[in-house]
Amino acid sequence: MKWHTTLALIAAALTTACAQPTPEQQVINDAATALGGRDRILAVKTLVLEGEGTNGNLGQDMTMDAAGQAFQLSGYKRSIDVAGGRARTEQTRTPNFAYFQGQQPQKQISGVDGDVGYTVAANGTAGRASNAAAKDRRAEMYHHPLTLMRAALDPASKLANPRDANGQRAVDVTTGGGLTFTLAIDGSTKLPTRVVSMTDNPNLGDVAIETSFADYQDVNGLKLPARLTTKTDKYQTADIRVTRQTVDGDTGNLAAPEAAASAAAGTGPPPATVTAEELAKGIWFLAGQSHHSVLVEFGDHLVLIEAPQNDTRALAVIAKARELRPGKPITQVVNTHHHFDHSGGLRAAVSEGLAVLTQAQNVAFYKDAMTRAHTIVPDALAKNPKPLTIEGVDEEKTLSDSAMTMTLYHIAGNPHADTLLMAYFPKQKLLVEVDAFSPGSAVQPYAANLIENIKKRNLQVDRIVPLHGTIAPYSELLKTQATTTH
Ligand SMILES: [Zn+2]
Ligand SMILES: [Zn+2]
């Protein structure tokens, strides 16, 4: 090697060593030093977190603003192969509220291995998660200071937008794999305080998933948080207290189960199947899959009860309704309650020009939901914006003309949700409800209250039309009490 080449190399090395880090690099350098140093961070291969905590009940609590329902977690174990991009979480969750499946503990296993997301059922059967769920789990792997810092220190990552945020320093990190996160560090300790990433939620649109870190402990030459709290938008979804942290221990097998790896990945909800059964003149049961709707014909218009699940289901149901009565406009959709699986098609219904009738406590939430940004996964309303017309029902409302009479009642005091409406057809002696009574289900924790509401209102019911399961005689609802009280 010629001497001037050698000198040039030395000069280049000196320049690199002496160069001032950019402000974004400074945030990462500070955090790396606080966590135990760059080399120590990069040497880590695996991390196992064990502990306990709670999961929230996002979109399924008593009202949208309620936060009293939670699942207590025991046996929480999160194993991360930080170098291999694989993670698996095992936990046993126990609801602190009256739950459909009963209040017994339920074991859950979920994971991600590269592009494959999976769950393992209690009986050991593995299933593949949707692509969207797999993507969320890949992102979730970086919702920890160690994994995100490893990514930030990788030359393939891009750092941007260094800034002050309420006494903290924040920087955006885009990984070599194309995932973007905001990392915030404490202004004085320089320890990471939170990681934020954006994802799509069908009901809430573009949402921030934010994990906050606290209670840092010394673990094998690293500082690692023992408290991890996660929110989706403003709703807390997990609060984990780690009681044992193992760096480079045995993670067990983190490969996706063969049954999941070989299955086709779901790219979206399955195609909708909508069947139509005329229950009485002008009343159709639109069923076919897990979440049903009911179509009601008035003199010069139609009213739909329920736009459930997602755009796919709701648009298929609306199309079926138009096919059954092509000459009449569908003017309104009645929403049975705010739970995400029952309100997930409301935005699609609004995009089709339907006005919303719902229990009064949901009005503010739906006004917000209809105006939220859906840029990550544009839905029907994002592509075809329409103003929302909405009316709240407090305790009851009757819709009536010469052709049809239907009264909506609040199912008051039901432990399933505070926002439930049922629809009663006095002439036909039909009652449409959902979740309060699901015919055929082994556990009926909400049925006693439904009976109370029916008796209190003096309703004459022959048949229950449930929006889950099959139509049942009223006697079957009464039987739930005979079996649960003896
Ligand atoms: Zn529900
Ligand atoms: Zn339901």
Side-chain angles (χ1 to χ4, degrees):
M1 194 181 284
K2 286 183 178 159
W3 68 271
H4 58 266
T5 312
T6 313
L7 275 183
L9 282 172
I10 289 167
L14 283 173
T15 309
T16 308
C18 299
Q20 281 289 107
T22 61
E24 50 267 38
Q25 281 167 339
Q26 189 63 54
V27 176
I28 299 303
N29 292 352
D30 287 348
T33 304
L35 287 170
R38 174 193 174 93
D39 293 345
R40 182 69 193 97
I41 292 167
L42 292 176
V44 173
K45 292 187 173 55
T46 67
L47 176 66
V48 178
L49 309 177
E50 290 167 274
E52 56 184 22
T54 54
N55 277 168
N57 200 13
L58 178 64
Q60 306 292 136
D61 209 314
M62 296 298 285
T63 63
M64 254 337 273
D65 291 329
Q69 295 187 347
F71 296 90
Q72 296 296 324
L73 306 182
S74 60
Y76 175 89
K77 183 178 182 187
R78 181 158 173 72
S79 307
I80 308 172
D81 174 355
V82 290
R86 305 189 293 187
R88 184 178 172 110
T89 303
E90 297 182 24
Q91 62 182 29
T92 297
R93 68 174 206 175
T94 309
N96 73 353
F97 56 97
Y99 193 52
F100 272 124
Q101 294 154 36
Q103 280 179 266
Q104 74 281 5
Q106 179 194 11
K107 177 143 193 201
Q108 297 182 310
I109 298 176
S110 63
V112 63
D113 176 2
D115 288 338
V116 180
Y118 62 89
T119 51
V120 182
N123 65 7
T125 308
R128 184 154 182 176
S130 69
N131 282 336
K135 189 171 176 229
D136 283 346
R137 282 186 209 156
R138 272 202 304 284
E140 196 186 352
M141 227 175 341
Y142 296 98
H143 278 237
H144 189 278
L146 188 66
T147 45
L148 186 60
M149 283 299 297
R150 278 180 60 96
L153 291 167
D154 184 330
S157 287
K158 289 191 172 59
L159 307 178
N161 198 16
R163 58 202 184 270
D164 286 314
N166 300 324
Q168 302 179 358
R169 289 288 290 160
V171 63
D172 295 339
V173 180
T174 300
T175 68
L179 299 172
T180 297
F181 302 88
T182 294
L183 169 71
I185 69 170
D186 187 272
S188 48
T189 67
K190 314 295 186 196
L191 289 166
T193 52
R194 60 197 162 89
V195 170
V196 186
S197 56
M198 299 299 295
T199 190
D200 172 66
N201 176 288
N203 292 69
L204 300 172
D206 302 353
V207 287
I209 310 276
E210 176 179 304
T211 303
S212 303
F213 310 116
D215 301 349
Y216 274 89
Q217 297 176 331
D218 293 303
V219 184
N220 293 30
L222 290 158
K223 285 230 184 285
L224 299 177
R227 182 96 185 246
L228 296 92
T229 308
T230 303
K231 289 188 302 182
T232 293
D233 199 71
K234 64 179 180 179
Y235 307 100
Q236 184 174 301
T237 51
D239 184 20
I240 304 298
R241 292 176 300 276
V242 181
T243 50
R244 187 175 141 100
Q245 318 212 46
T246 311
V247 172
D248 291 340
D250 181 15
T251 59
N253 182 9
L254 296 184
E258 180 50 33
S262 60
T267 51
T273 308
V274 185
T275 57
E277 179 190 353
E278 190 162 13
L279 302 177
K281 186 175 178 300
I283 303 174
W284 291 267
F285 190 41
L286 304 181
Q289 282 157 318
S290 63
H291 290 62
H292 315 322
S293 301
V294 168
L295 179 66
V296 187
E297 181 178 14
F298 289 82
D300 62 357
H301 66 280
L302 305 168
V303 172
L304 182 66
I305 302 175
E306 207 78 312
Q309 293 188 299
N310 47 46
D311 282 14
T312 304
R313 179 82 204 165
L315 294 174
V317 166
I318 290 167
K320 175 62 83 177
R322 287 179 177 150
E323 186 188 307
L324 287 166
R325 279 294 175 269
K328 286 187 184 175
I330 315 172
T331 56
Q332 287 167 303
V333 56
V334 174
N335 161 247
T336 60
H337 61 310
H338 70 285
H339 285 174
F340 278 6
D341 57 322
H342 292 278
S343 59
L346 279 182
R347 282 180 52 94
V350 170
S351 81
E352 290 293 315
L354 278 65
V356 176
L357 266 173
T358 187
Q359 211 280 325
Q361 294 171 89
N362 297 327
V363 171
F365 171 63
Y366 290 147
K367 281 184 174 170
D368 178 51
M370 297 308 145
T371 55
R372 280 174 169 256
H374 282 244
T375 63
I376 298 170
V377 179
D379 66 356
L381 188 59
K383 291 173 191 163
N384 184 21
K386 289 268 168 65
L388 170 68
T389 304
I390 188 164
E391 183 181 341
V393 176
D394 277 314
E395 287 306 312
E396 66 176 89
K397 178 183 178 68
T398 297
L399 306 179
S400 186
D401 66 9
S402 58
M404 181 64 67
T405 295
M406 168 176 84
T407 301
L408 304 174
Y409 291 107
H410 181 206
I411 309 181
N414 196 283
H416 180 72
D418 277 335
T419 67
L420 282 162
L421 291 180
M422 57 186 177
Y424 174 59
F425 296 87
K427 187 164 158 251
Q428 298 81 357
K429 296 190 163 63
L430 290 175
L431 184 77
V432 177
E433 61 79 36
V434 77
D435 289 349
F437 171 49
S438 300
S441 172
V443 190
Q444 299 283 1
Y446 317 120
N449 168 271
L450 176 62
I451 296 170
E452 252 177 66
N453 272 275
I454 292 170
K455 290 189 172 161
K456 180 176 77 181
R457 317 270 194 193
N458 259 321
L459 310 185
Q460 303 302 308
V461 179
D462 279 351
R463 280 185 294 170
I464 305 265
V465 182
L467 302 186
H468 293 303
T470 50
I471 295 166
Y474 182 58
S475 58
E476 204 167 311
L477 170 60
L478 296 177
K479 270 190 228 159
T480 60
Q481 297 319 295
T483 51
T484 51
T485 52
H486 295 287

